[in-house]
Amino acid sequence: MQIEAFPSATFGTDEAAAGTPGSAETFPLSRNLQRRAHAIIPGGAHTYAKGDDQYPLLAPGFLARGQGCRVWDVDGNAYVEFGMGNRAIGLGHCFPRVTEAARRALDVGCNFTRPTPYEINCAETFLEAIPAAEMVKFCKDGSDATSGAMRLARAYTGREKIAICADHPFFSTDDWFIGTTPVDGGIPETIKSLTLSFRYGDLESARALFERHPGEIAAVILEPARGDDPPPGYLSGLRQLAHENGALFVLDEMITGFRWARGGGQEVYGVEPDLSCFGKAMANGFSVSALAGKREVMRLGGLDHVDFPRVFLLSTTHGAETHALAAAAETMRVYRDEPVIAHVHAMGRRLRLGAEEAIRRHGLTGHVGIVGRDCCLAYQTLDAEGAPSQAFRSLFLQETIRRGILAPSLVVSYSHSEADVDFAVAAIDGALGVYARALEDGVERHLVGRPSQVVYRRYNTPDGLAPGKR
């Protein structure tokens, strides 16, 4: 199912784009909601990636609705979106088959004191899509799943330490991961010491870790890939290394699952994890995540074993909401029935090629880069010296927003058409013209307000350093 092409944005015209950036008056309702939100919600949002500090001043603060690949903010400005709910929307907003499945489930009630057949239906649909998994447990977000995987690994191996890939930015909101970031306030040092790190694509890095901590590591966890594909044999080699040292091999498939392929990165790269964690695109934005894996490990969270102590694995009041599981099962059936994966790869490739051509045309090859797999693109923004720059990222976002696209990343969905992608390429081309001028006469002359900031900073200061220590 395809949504018709996005005809034009109600915000951002060629005439406006050619002049001075707009002002905060473009978003009056958003500004009012932002003030109210910060008064009662820490950070003003419930996800750090959605926070005001992640966007330029001239950006919509609140979105009101979405349809396909389009979104409208509370002030009525329209955009073609390329964030897609932080990669959770694989099919498109309000995708009919999925929303209808959720509505039908709501007619019978959303939560009960005993299981419902929706749980079996969704589990069977999931396991059919992920052949390496033998059992699955559903939960609500990615952190539930990855933290459950670490608990299982520790119980199964009798070990305490976890090895995480240092090149992958996020695994969980829980202490075992957040303690490794600069935002480690409130996490005991004893917890931080239990998490170790290795480098992606470097087997010797992981081997050295096992040599320094013999018999102590319960699991290695990483994403199958983020940007480039893994080196040939790397994932299978890391799995073998983990097993030789008595550790479990765990894949975080929150992003790669149902985007790289229906069966995730493990299908693309031909590797079977002991445990794997899914979420985001598997339910097209509904709150469902999954911890799946080999029966020998997963059974420790069940009722049938007597040879290991019980593992209190995952127990969420809302983990089996009927409408969410119905949405997830229907989403997975759409991936089975329709050419979703082929389409997002094709649209992503079209977007990549168009953006790269615009970058070359503006002479910005050394300053703007398109990175990632075609189905999951992002961009790099570098300053005049070639260093990563939040100010130039903010400028690029500001200028693309003014031209009618919302692109914190360049992620496409099944609802993006060729016309939508071409519209985005034109917006990127216009934004790059401003970028080129800013390299010559200073980004501060073109960026309205402060730059966006990285999430992982210790203090809420412009440079992330403690006050008085700059």
Side-chain angles (χ1 to χ4, degrees), residues 253-314:
E253 295 249 31
M254 293 297 157
I255 292 175
T256 52
F258 298 94
R259 188 169 283 279
W260 261 235
R262 180 170 169 241
Q266 57 193 270
E267 175 186 321
V268 172
Y269 304 122
V271 62
E272 288 195 1
D274 300 304
L275 298 170
S276 52
C277 306
F278 290 79
K280 291 191 183 285
M282 72 173 282
N284 200 46
F286 282 84
S287 182
V288 180
S289 57
L291 168 58
K294 301 301 183 185
R295 185 178 307 276
E296 179 64 20
V297 183
M298 292 289 292
R299 70 186 181 94
L300 301 189
L303 302 177
D304 300 330
H305 68 284
V306 295
D307 51 335
F308 277 85
R310 293 186 66 196
V311 175
F312 197 78
L313 184 52
L314 290 165

Side-chain angles (χ1 to χ4, degrees), residues 366-367 381-390 392 435:
H367 301 283
T381 53
L382 309 178
D383 63 18
E385 285 70 46
S389 170
Q390 286 297 121
F392 274 95
Y435 198 113

Side-chain angles (χ1 to χ4, degrees), residues 84-417:
M84 303 313 297
N86 297 328
R87 298 176 176 83
I89 308 296
L91 302 178
H93 298 288
C94 297
F95 195 81
R97 279 182 59 175
V98 176
T99 54
E100 285 305 312
R103 287 192 185 102
R104 289 193 299 270
L106 283 171
D107 286 339
V108 303
C110 69
N111 217 331
F112 299 92
T113 51
R114 295 303 307 275
T116 69
Y118 288 96
E119 300 177 42
I120 300 173
N121 184 313
C122 193
E124 289 177 341
T125 304
F126 176 89
L127 293 174
E128 189 270 329
I130 315 296
E134 296 170 334
M135 301 186 82
V136 61
K137 187 101 168 181
F138 295 122
C139 37
K140 301 307 288 182
D141 60 38
S143 296
D144 290 342
T146 55
S147 292
M150 297 304 98
R151 188 177 303 120
L152 269 181
R154 283 169 164 156
Y156 184 78
T157 63
R159 301 171 176 182
E160 295 186 343
K161 292 183 177 177
I162 298 298
I164 67 171
C165 181
D167 300 297
H168 295 162
F170 186 80
F171 289 106
S172 175
T173 62
D174 292 310
D175 290 0
W176 64 270
F177 171 70
I178 293 297
T180 68
T181 75
V183 195
D184 61 354
I187 300 175
E189 291 296 328
T190 52
I191 299 296
K192 298 178 190 178
S193 68
L194 296 177
T195 302
L196 314 168
S197 64
F198 61 94
R199 309 304 306 199
Y200 185 75
D202 183 355
L203 272 180
E204 292 310 308
S205 171
R207 194 185 314 278
L209 205 60
F210 280 111
E211 290 174 354
R212 289 196 300 272
H213 302 274
E216 297 180 328
I217 299 174
V220 297
I221 182 170
L222 74 163
E223 297 179 64
R226 266 198 91 74
D228 297 332
D229 288 338
Y234 171 68
L235 292 178
S236 58
L238 183 60
R239 177 181 183 271
Q240 181 178 345
L241 180 64
H243 288 177
E244 288 173 350
N245 287 274
L248 297 188
F249 177 68
V250 183
L251 289 181
D252 178 346
E253 295 249 31
M254 293 297 157
I255 292 175
T256 52
F258 298 94
R259 188 169 283 279
W260 261 235
R262 180 170 169 241
Q266 57 193 270
E267 175 186 321
V268 172
Y269 304 122
V271 62
E272 288 195 1
D274 300 304
L275 298 170
S276 52
C277 306
F278 290 79
K280 291 191 183 285
M282 72 173 282
N284 200 46
F286 282 84
S287 182
V288 180
S289 57
L291 168 58
K294 301 301 183 185
R295 185 178 307 276
E296 179 64 20
V297 183
M298 292 289 292
R299 70 186 181 94
L300 301 189
L303 302 177
D304 300 330
H305 68 284
V306 295
D307 51 335
F308 277 85
R310 293 186 66 196
V311 175
F312 197 78
L313 184 52
L314 290 165
S315 184
T316 55
T317 298
H318 304 291
E321 289 173 318
T322 58
H323 60 286
L325 294 183
E330 191 62 26
T331 298
M332 290 185 279
R333 285 191 284 268
V334 172
Y335 277 83
R336 179 195 65 195
D337 299 340
E338 301 190 33
V340 179
I341 299 298
H343 182 81
V344 296
H345 277 83
M347 292 303 98
R349 177 171 175 77
R350 187 182 186 93
L351 179 56
R352 178 202 290 275
L353 293 176
E356 288 178 341
E357 172 58 29
I359 291 167
R360 287 191 294 271
R361 189 164 55 250
H362 287 280
L364 294 173
T365 303
H367 301 283
V368 182
I370 308 300
V371 297
R373 197 174 180 86
D374 288 342
C375 62
C376 192
L377 296 174
Y379 52 84
Q380 296 174 325
T381 53
L382 309 178
D383 63 18
E385 285 70 46
S389 170
Q390 286 297 121
F392 274 95
R393 173 179 170 80
S394 301
L395 178 65
F396 184 77
L397 260 173
Q398 170 185 284
E399 295 304 315
T400 50
I401 286 169
R402 291 175 59 207
R403 290 161 175 80
I405 68 172
L406 185 59
S409 60
L410 293 174
V411 175
V412 296
S413 74
Y414 191 39
S415 294
H416 283 86
S417 68

Side-chain angles (χ1 to χ4, degrees), residues 27 30-31 33-34 44 50 52 57 59-63 73-75:
F27 308 104
S30 272
R31 295 296 174 259
L33 289 174
Q34 285 172 309
K50 298 180 183 180
D52 292 335
L57 180 65
F62 282 78
L63 299 180
D73 68 23
V74 293
D75 292 289

